[in-house]
Amino acid sequence: MLDYFYLGLYYALRFLVKFSPKCVLKGFLKSLASAFYYLDKKHTNIMRVNLKMCFAALKDDEIERLIKKNYYNFALFGAEFLLNQNTTKEQILSKISFENEELFNSVLSQNRPIIVQTAHYGNWELFSLAMAARYGAVSIIGRALDSAKMNEILSANRTRFDIELIEKKSAVKQALKALNNRRLLGILVDQNTAKNEGLECEFFSHKIMHTHAASVFASKSGAIIIPAFIERDNSKDDSFKIVFYEPIDMQVLSQNHSKEEALRLATQAQSDATAAQISKKPDEYFWMHKKFKCFYENSYA
């Protein structure tokens, strides 16, 4: 029954987003964001803790402004997800620019497997579509939604342009197969993980547990990891920019370090790239999960 409620809500919102004038839609999204800021005290508090951990110099009123803007960006993200369904490659690429693309092209020229490491940042759903539209076959690792009906809709949107979905719980074999077939492998690596499922790293000078999945896959396949993130392009309406960071090569790291140390260094480099991107535009990061839970759980009480 709950599935059909979600389905009805989805179609109602899609109609509203698709047919509302921009000014009306913008007002609705701002009201929605404001409502969540005041009513969703649990996630507002999580965001407050995370931002204070990462940006200790910010004053309380600056933190609150960031949280409100973050809620609005998340509402915008939902609206864009609805608008981007059934769009063509050309329509997707018309709203995307690429920064430091020479870094990615350099990796492509080596004809090695490639892992694209990203985060819940900007419009990450659009990110995979844009990468597939520009560079070809992509496989992404993720978790299915609890609602079967909504997962069906999400999967249909995610699998356009030769995008393959790999279920997170049983990803190893499929991920390595995708890399062997020279499909780009996309992994979101920014959420907290259990101590037995990741490596201890630093994030904004605080200890976290960081998934080492990308590092392990790179070690097993000879892949190069390249961090990349999608951010809003504030110079143009409804436009985005994909930003590439310096590649992380496990083969090079393994030449000078033990296997364990190479894994740690590669994983820390991914955390550093994510932090560097967040520092540029912190309002576009998804702050609603307990990033520091493993070592600072009491902070979220």
Side-chain angles (χ1 to χ4, degrees), residues 42-285:
K42 174 185 173 181
H43 287 106
T44 298
N45 183 62
I46 291 171
M47 294 164 76
R48 194 174 287 130
V49 171
N50 287 336
L51 283 162
K52 286 181 177 179
M53 293 280 282
C54 296
F55 303 102
L58 287 182
K59 297 177 182 178
D60 287 348
D61 61 332
E62 293 174 313
I63 293 285
E64 297 309 307
R65 279 198 296 271
L66 260 177
I67 293 172
K68 290 176 182 178
K69 195 170 182 183
N70 193 250
Y71 270 122
Y72 176 69
N73 279 334
F74 196 60
L76 203 55
F77 165 82
E80 288 162 351
F81 170 77
L82 296 171
L83 288 171
N84 285 329
Q85 294 190 38
N86 303 318
T87 48
T88 65
K89 289 182 180 182
E90 292 73 24
Q91 288 171 320
I92 292 291
L93 290 176
S94 69
K95 59 179 75 177
I96 306 287
S97 62
F98 296 83
E99 184 175 300
N100 303 329
E101 192 175 18
E102 70 278 2
L103 294 174
F104 189 74
N105 288 333
S106 176
V107 173
L108 276 176
S109 69
Q110 297 181 47
N111 194 30
R112 286 171 58 187
I114 299 173
I115 297 171
V116 180
Q117 169 248 313
T118 192
H120 293 87
Y121 186 92
N123 191 324
W124 65 87
E125 290 288 345
L126 179 62
F127 177 71
S128 57
L129 294 175
M131 290 295 289
R134 189 162 180 90
Y135 301 112
V138 170
S139 297
I140 55 175
I141 297 175
R143 187 181 73 84
L145 297 180
D146 294 331
S147 166
K149 292 288 185 184
M150 290 310 301
N151 189 65
E152 187 178 329
I153 290 171
L154 181 64
S155 296
N157 184 66
R158 283 178 166 176
T159 53
R160 289 179 288 154
F161 315 152
D162 196 12
I163 297 176
E164 172 193 38
L165 296 182
I166 298 176
E167 175 57 42
K168 187 176 181 180
K169 289 182 179 178
S170 54
V172 176
K173 188 175 180 180
Q174 274 186 276
L176 292 175
K177 182 181 178 182
L179 289 169
N180 187 55
N181 291 333
R182 295 299 189 269
R183 300 177 67 91
L184 298 179
L185 180 67
I187 308 180
L188 292 152
V189 300
D190 58 304
Q191 292 196 327
N192 173 68
T193 186
K195 288 189 176 181
N196 63 341
E197 295 178 352
L199 294 176
E200 182 179 320
C201 291
E202 281 196 356
F203 185 73
F204 286 96
S205 302
H206 293 289
K207 290 193 295 184
I208 60 164
M209 290 305 298
H210 193 293
T211 178
H212 58 326
S215 306
V216 171
F217 290 146
S219 179
K220 289 180 179 292
S221 66
I224 296 180
I225 303 167
I226 185 156
F229 308 90
I230 185 168
E231 64 179 51
R232 297 189 182 281
D233 186 349
N234 294 331
S235 66
K236 294 180 285 186
D237 287 342
D238 303 322
S239 295
F240 300 83
K241 184 193 301 179
I242 289 177
V243 184
F244 295 102
Y245 285 76
E246 287 290 336
I248 304 162
D249 194 336
M250 279 293 296
Q251 290 184 352
V252 173
L253 290 172
S254 297
Q255 289 171 5
N256 303 308
H257 303 278
S258 67
K259 180 180 178 181
E260 291 74 17
E261 181 64 4
L263 285 172
R264 189 194 69 79
L265 289 170
T267 306
Q268 181 62 58
Q270 294 165 56
S271 182
D272 291 343
T274 303
Q277 179 63 36
I278 290 170
S279 294
K280 290 170 55 182
K281 301 175 77 176
D283 59 294
E284 293 198 36
Y285 185 54

